[in-house]
Amino acid sequence: MTIKMAFFFGLLFSLISFGISMLVQIGIVGIFIASVFTAYFGTIVNKAVLEVYRECNGIH
């Protein structure tokens, strides 16, 4: 399950990175927006991984 999630989120981040790289080319505003997107999607991934580990270990 963990390897499957790693591939899924890796693919997701690689697709998102194309959009983020375009935002960075805008300038300082693009860099700020790209940072916010990166932090947001990082939080989503961490939350998803935590939920999977909670369910696998039976912790509520």
Side-chain angles (χ1 to χ4, degrees), residues 5-36:
M5 285 182 58
F7 282 119
F8 175 73
F9 288 123
L11 178 65
L12 182 66
F13 266 109
S14 65
L15 294 175
I16 292 170
S17 68
F18 289 121
I20 289 175
S21 65
M22 290 179 201
L23 286 173
V24 170
Q25 293 174 359
I26 295 172
I28 194 74
V29 175
I31 292 172
F32 176 75
I33 294 170
S35 298
V36 170

Side-chain angles (χ1 to χ4, degrees), residues 9 12-13 16 20 36-46:
F9 288 123
L12 182 66
F13 266 109
I16 292 170
I20 289 175
V36 170
F37 279 146
T38 304
Y40 179 72
F41 286 114
T43 303
I44 290 172
V45 170
N46 286 339

